[in-house]
Amino acid sequence: MLKAMIVDDEEIIRTGLQCLVDWERLGYGIVLEADSGAKALEMAQEHQPEAIIVDIRMPVMNGLELITMLKQMNLQARVIILSGFNDFGYAQEAIEKGVYSYLLKPVNKHKLENLLQQIAAEIHTQQKQADQESVIQHQLQKSLPLLREKFFSFLIYGIADQDEIEEISRLLHFHFTYNGFVVAIGELDEGVYSLDIVESIIASVCCSDNVQYFYDGYRRCIFLINCSTELEGRYECEGLFQLIQNSLNKSVDGGIKFGIGNRYIGLDNASNSFREALQALNRVGKAGVGGIMRFSELKEKEPILLHTFIEYEKKMMLSLETGNLSVSFGLVEEIVVHLEACITLEHNRIEFIRHFFLKMLMRFTKVQMELGLEPSYLLMNEFYSQNELNKSVGIHELKERMKETLAKTYGTIKTLKLNSEKALVHRAKEYMKANYMSEMSLTKIAEVFYMNPTYFSQFFKDESGENYLECLTRIRIEEAKKLLLKDKETKAYDVAGKVGYQDARYFSQVFRKHTGMTPTEFRDCYVRNDEEGDK
């Protein structure tokens, strides 16, 4: 419950305001009283009320001086000023000082209740947002390792755009010195089993902010090296990788080989360097010391086929949007046939097919994450955990497994979309139930859910079977019925204001349209029925 405070040097005014409104119904559990500005300041510091009603004219410290002191002490209460007709100049100054609102004496009950309701609604919304932000921050801290892994995956497969790259780099506290980047891939021998030792060695060697790395799930480590020039990138890579190789030779049986791509400007071009590093890796003769190959040293280079990848990606994402699984299966077959025709070396062919499938899975993973799927349920994890991308997997097995994973992905995304749409309509209805007493235009409610008003209106009607205004009106009329029956003395125009209608005549028209009776007829009918039932 919230706290309010009434500040006036006249006891009769304070008592009158205490009795004027139903404070508890409006959400205020404690209503304090102060007979002076100094006393109010002392109580505000101690109790931190959310709403303060203060008379603008008081001896010693008037309302304006109190407002100034409250601001200086950083007390966040919403202040409602009470003023007479002759105090307009004071009221204007109060507004300039940031008061919430002002009311003329004698105080109108309906207007005061509306202001107190608005304050309560705003504070509850702020508290809810603060709670949500706290939960998000907690979840973010827990998910940073996973976010880091997914970020690098999106990066090397060319999925993240520039805005996303900058935002996630900030969240992960990456501080790159230069705008040039080289991607390299380290691959362990099959005979290396002491992975903990390998990870420890790599961590101890790659301790600079300009060297980031992650493990992609099948005995490979991807390195992102930040460098000022191509030459610096070359020396940086070779120095790091020789140090890793030397350390591994002393600690484990087997070794590690490296493929290094060219330097590119901007993180958004890291995927080009990654594809080059893949080709270089496949040409390394042996693992161990000296097992390092740069793409620039290759005499025969397979085409990167960037245009082909982009076209097939667009078609695959379109099939996802339309839910056409048969088209996706056809695209899987097409890309395999196309790459088999273009790429001569078998191991490069498998690598490029694996690369394309992984990139599409990463795109699907991104869609799943945006729709709210828990990270542990991502099908990308299943694809990795079953070693579907292990080098021992041939083209046919990889292709069939891709189809199977696509089918599961499509099913998950379809379910998530359906649940997401239902949840949004439910949240919109709950918002209306909580705020029906306030002004609620289509534009205002659409803004709450970050949607275009026209789209929101059509979306709401498609999902719920009624438009937003019909739903809001139904909620308001139901609440009006309750108020009419709760207090037999309440006037129809008071009920109108309490359920969001400023025009009492219009409220009666809407009420009659929905119930067949005016508000007064409705209450009289139920009262008469109750009396007859008692007889």
Side-chain angles (χ1 to χ4, degrees):
M1 298 290 279
L2 304 178
K3 287 174 283 188
M5 182 163 64
I6 300 169
V7 187
D8 199 298
D9 59 315
E10 296 185 43
E11 184 178 1
I12 190 170
I13 299 293
R14 298 197 304 273
T15 304
L17 290 174
Q18 281 273 16
C19 300
L20 184 63
V21 298
D22 185 346
W23 293 91
E24 190 169 343
R25 181 180 66 80
L26 297 175
Y28 297 84
I30 299 175
V31 183
L32 307 164
E33 291 185 24
D35 58 7
S36 68
K39 182 67 174 176
L41 200 60
E42 179 184 329
M43 295 177 71
Q45 284 182 287
E46 180 181 353
H47 298 283
Q48 301 285 319
E50 286 80 12
I52 298 177
I53 302 171
V54 57
D55 187 6
I56 205 164
R57 285 184 178 272
M58 291 186 297
V60 185
M61 181 188 292
N62 65 29
L64 294 179
E65 293 168 333
L66 174 59
I67 293 166
T68 301
M69 293 297 293
L70 289 171
K71 289 186 70 174
Q72 288 177 358
M73 300 173 72
N74 202 29
L75 296 174
Q76 303 300 315
R78 273 81 163 170
V79 179
I80 299 171
I81 283 287
L82 304 183
S83 67
F85 284 106
N86 297 326
D87 298 328
F88 181 73
Y90 285 109
Q92 195 172 28
E93 185 179 346
I95 291 172
E96 292 174 357
K97 288 180 178 292
V99 299
Y100 189 80
S101 187
Y102 77 93
L103 293 173
L104 292 174
K105 295 179 179 178
V107 175
N108 179 282
K109 174 184 177 181
H110 172 63
K111 290 182 179 179
L112 178 58
E113 284 186 337
N114 272 353
L115 287 173
L116 291 169
Q117 282 179 327
Q118 288 175 20
I119 290 172
E122 288 177 8
I123 290 171
H124 287 314
T125 299
Q126 287 179 350
Q127 289 174 343
K128 188 174 181 180
Q129 289 174 343
D131 291 342
Q132 289 175 339
E133 288 175 7
S134 176
V135 170
I136 289 170
Q137 286 298 321
H138 178 68
Q139 291 176 340
L140 178 61
Q141 290 301 317
K142 285 177 61 178
S143 62
L144 278 180
L146 180 63
L147 178 62
R148 186 177 187 277
E149 178 186 327
K150 296 303 179 189
F151 171 63
F152 276 114
S153 296
F154 288 161
L155 201 62
I156 64 171
Y157 292 113
I159 296 170
D161 59 34
Q162 188 60 40
D163 289 341
E164 290 173 316
I165 289 171
E166 291 176 2
E167 175 64 17
I168 301 178
S169 294
R170 184 184 62 79
L171 288 173
L172 295 173
H173 305 295
F174 289 155
H175 304 289
F176 295 117
T177 308
Y178 313 109
N179 63 355
F181 296 88
V182 169
V183 175
I185 306 170
E187 182 176 85
L188 291 168
D189 279 349
E190 292 293 335
V192 178
Y193 297 107
S194 304
L195 298 182
D196 290 344
I197 295 176
V198 175
E199 291 178 9
S200 177
I201 290 172
I202 291 175
S204 64
V205 172
C206 302
C207 53
S208 165
D209 283 343
N210 289 332
V211 180
Q212 301 292 336
Y213 62 92
F214 78 105
Y215 298 92
D216 70 351
Y218 52 103
R219 307 181 69 79
R220 282 184 177 174
C221 186
I222 314 296
F223 298 85
L224 182 69
I225 293 105
N226 182 216
C227 50
S228 59
T229 64
E230 186 78 44
L231 186 61
E232 182 192 327
R234 174 179 174 178
Y235 288 142
E236 180 81 13
C237 289
E238 291 184 355
L240 279 174
F241 300 154
Q242 286 175 3
L243 184 56
I244 291 172
Q245 288 175 336
N246 288 330
S247 299
L248 276 179
N249 283 343
K250 297 174 183 177
S251 306
V252 299
D253 293 329
I256 184 171
K257 59 182 180 179
F258 295 94
I260 305 170
N262 287 327
R263 176 181 177 271
Y264 285 86
I265 300 298
L267 277 173
D268 51 333
N269 288 312
S271 58
N272 295 329
S273 186
F274 172 71
R275 282 189 286 267
E276 294 170 351
L278 279 176
Q279 286 196 47
L281 184 70
N282 288 327
R283 301 294 184 89
V284 178
K286 63 174 183 176
V289 177
I292 300 173
M293 178 64 71
R294 295 191 304 276
F295 179 78
S296 58
E297 295 176 334
L298 297 182
K299 294 180 180 179
E300 296 180 10
K301 299 172 182 174
E302 299 284 5
I304 295 301
L305 303 171
L306 184 59
H307 177 73
T308 300
F309 274 110
I310 291 173
E311 289 304 311
Y312 277 110
E313 286 166 22
K314 289 179 180 178
K315 292 178 181 179
M316 192 73 88
M317 292 307 293
L318 181 60
S319 71
L320 174 68
E321 291 176 13
T322 59
N324 197 328
L325 191 57
S326 61
V327 170
S328 293
F329 284 179
L331 289 170
V332 170
E333 297 289 347
E334 280 185 41
I335 191 68
V336 169
V337 171
H338 184 84
L339 290 176
E340 284 180 332
C342 292
I343 300 177
T344 55
L345 296 176
E346 176 69 15
H347 56 271
N348 275 358
R349 190 183 302 151
I350 293 175
E351 200 63 74
F352 269 89
I353 291 171
R354 183 184 291 117
H355 170 80
F356 176 77
F357 287 169
L358 249 181
K359 184 168 185 178
M360 292 318 306
L361 279 172
M362 293 303 300
R363 284 201 175 276
F364 294 158
T365 296
K366 190 176 180 183
V367 173
Q368 289 175 317
M369 292 171 73
E370 288 171 351
L371 289 171
L373 186 64
E374 285 293 323
S376 58
Y377 292 111
L378 293 174
L379 288 171
M380 192 69 188
N381 300 335
E382 177 185 334
F383 205 78
Y384 272 139
S385 65
Q386 296 184 4
N387 290 319
E388 300 302 338
L389 301 181
N390 189 284
K391 282 209 163 186
S392 61
V393 176
I395 290 177
H396 176 75
E397 294 84 1
L398 187 60
K399 182 174 64 176
E400 292 306 310
R401 189 58 187 151
M402 179 62 182
K403 289 181 180 179
E404 183 181 334
T405 307
L406 272 172
K408 291 182 179 179
T409 305
Y410 273 44
T412 303
I413 289 174
K414 183 178 180 181
T415 301
L416 285 169
K417 281 185 174 180
L418 184 61
N419 291 341
S420 177
E421 290 165 357
K422 288 180 178 177
L424 181 59
V425 170
H426 175 73
R427 284 166 52 211
K429 288 182 177 180
E430 290 300 309
Y431 179 81
M432 291 182 199
K433 289 177 182 177
N435 298 277
Y436 64 85
M437 71 293 296
S438 305
E439 179 188 352
M440 198 177 301
S441 64
L442 172 61
T443 300
K444 184 174 181 180
I445 191 171
E447 285 177 354
V448 171
F449 296 98
Y450 306 101
M451 296 176 73
N452 173 276
T454 303
Y455 177 76
F456 173 82
S457 178
Q458 188 60 51
F459 171 83
F460 189 91
K461 186 171 184 178
D462 290 344
E463 291 299 318
S464 67
E466 60 181 349
N467 65 41
Y468 99 95
L469 188 56
E470 291 170 339
C471 179
L472 177 60
T473 302
R474 177 171 49 77
I475 291 169
R476 283 173 166 171
I477 296 301
E478 289 303 315
E479 291 299 324
K481 289 178 183 179
K482 294 176 186 177
L483 291 172
L484 286 166
L485 298 178
K486 182 179 179 181
D487 185 353
K488 297 175 184 178
E489 302 302 321
T490 302
K491 304 298 183 183
Y493 59 81
D494 285 331
V495 173
K498 290 177 181 178
V499 296
Y501 291 97
Q502 302 305 314
D503 187 331
R505 182 176 295 178
Y506 177 65
F507 163 68
S508 294
Q509 291 173 353
V510 174
F511 192 94
R512 185 166 193 166
K513 180 180 178 181
H514 279 261
T515 65
M517 295 177 279
T518 66
T520 303
E521 290 170 346
F522 172 82
R523 179 164 54 197
D524 290 346
C525 178
Y526 273 85
V527 170
R528 187 166 55 251
N529 289 340
D530 287 346
E531 290 174 349
E532 290 174 357
D534 291 339
K535 293 177 183 178

